[in-house]
Amino acid sequence: MSQDPSAADTAAFSKIDSAVPHSARIWNYWLGGKDNYPVDEEAGDAFRQIFPGITDLARDSRAFLGRAVGHLAKEAGIRQFLDIGTGLPTADNTHEIAQRINPEARIVYIDNDPLVLAHAHALLTSTPEGVTDYVDADLYDPETVLREASRTLDFTQPVALTMMQVSGHIADYQQARSIIGSLMGALPSGSYFAFNDSVDTNQANAEATRLYNESGAAPYHLRSPEQLAGFFDGLELLEPGVVPLNEWRPEPGRSPGEVIALGGVARKP
């Protein structure tokens, strides 16, 4: 970040609206974090009252990220990560996982939420050999995302694009596919796409999401399993494919859970 951290934090905090619930802060609340406001807790509790499984979903998504990044950094040898929809920092962020395996890993986080920006200094830690950076950019503007990320990442070498519980913020499915296609299209052969999002097949989640979308928060759009699988078109899916989060290379002894969200990892030919 080019700004002085304290100045950037002050500017970011001035843009935060603590009267309207925000998805990043609600997600932080579900994960047990403290970076949220009473309005976020109220929205999170209302959601959880209708769909108690949302807390498990948040944790399962985080665990999936850890397994996916761990596999990519270790088995696939990926040293560059573009993490879109960063959210608020918590335990085992992408850079921590990747640099624990390969200290030379380079990570760029992308988000445009002012509270995330205010906490970016917590993310901007790195091993001496690697690099961690944060870019304040909008997912709807992939050209800016790629231009700014290219200041840190070498797009002539493989990059892993990660998007966890993010695509639902894009209302139009074809636009979401186009944005992801633009991002993956800029990455070289041998790059990877790691992705998960919620499905529309759980009635309680669908009803809770409907009411959440009426709260004044930025709407979220659940999609069918077929639509989520469509984000991987043209890529080579790793085993076991697009599956419930707990079934993607689970830790030993982990039992499958209810199908609430699907995830997968794929390689660009």
Side-chain angles (χ1 to χ4, degrees):
M1 294 170 59
S2 57
Q3 280 185 283
D4 173 69
S6 59
D9 290 352
T10 300
F13 272 118
S14 69
K15 298 178 183 178
I16 295 171
D17 186 351
S18 62
V20 177
H22 191 280
S23 60
R25 303 194 308 248
I26 296 171
W27 200 258
N28 175 266
Y29 175 59
W30 286 330
L31 286 170
K34 304 298 183 184
D35 298 316
N36 47 74
Y37 296 97
V39 67
D40 306 307
E41 296 180 11
E42 292 173 9
D45 288 340
F47 198 110
R48 188 161 48 195
Q49 185 173 5
I50 299 171
F51 177 50
I54 189 61
T55 301
D56 289 336
L57 170 58
R59 293 171 179 166
D60 289 345
S61 176
R62 196 72 191 176
F64 171 81
L65 169 69
R67 297 195 305 276
V69 170
H71 171 81
L72 292 172
K74 188 174 182 180
E75 280 80 10
I78 296 297
R79 298 187 175 191
Q80 302 189 106
F81 292 82
L82 178 57
D83 185 324
I84 295 185
T86 303
L88 291 161
T90 184
D92 272 348
N93 299 289
T94 298
H95 73 284
E96 293 169 321
I97 300 166
Q99 291 182 343
R100 199 156 51 226
I101 295 168
N102 187 334
E104 296 181 353
R106 306 172 73 86
I107 296 88
V108 172
Y109 292 104
I110 305 288
D111 211 305
N112 69 334
D113 174 66
L115 189 62
V116 173
L117 176 60
H119 286 79
H121 64 273
L123 289 173
L124 291 177
T125 58
S126 176
T127 57
E129 305 93 331
V131 178
T132 305
D133 198 7
Y134 174 89
V135 172
D136 182 15
D138 195 324
L139 175 58
Y140 280 95
D141 185 5
E143 291 185 1
T144 297
V145 168
L146 292 165
R147 183 184 68 249
E148 295 301 314
S150 69
R151 301 177 189 274
T152 299
L153 305 179
D154 178 2
F155 283 175
T156 68
Q157 300 297 317
V159 175
L161 170 65
T162 67
M163 294 178 61
M164 307 296 167
Q165 296 286 321
V166 174
S167 73
H169 285 299
I170 305 171
D172 183 80
Y173 175 63
Q174 292 304 325
Q175 184 179 20
R177 288 196 56 164
S178 176
I179 289 171
I180 292 173
S182 296
L183 294 168
M184 287 303 300
L187 306 183
S189 174
S191 293
Y192 285 83
F193 179 45
F195 168 92
N196 88 64
D197 220 325
S198 300
V199 292
D200 61 3
T201 54
N202 182 285
Q203 292 184 355
N205 191 17
E207 176 62 11
T209 301
R210 183 186 70 80
L211 294 175
Y212 168 82
N213 289 346
E214 296 176 354
S215 71
Y220 206 85
H221 305 274
L222 304 179
R223 296 197 164 99
S224 70
E226 293 77 17
Q227 287 177 316
L228 295 187
F231 288 122
F232 293 95
D233 283 355
L235 304 176
E236 300 171 345
L237 274 167
L238 305 187
E239 293 293 335
V242 183
V243 296
L245 299 187
N246 287 341
E247 297 180 21
W248 196 90
R249 307 192 179 199
E251 300 293 339
R254 184 63 188 258
S255 59
E258 187 179 358
V259 180
I260 303 170
L262 300 177
V265 179
R267 181 182 182 275
K268 181 176 178 178

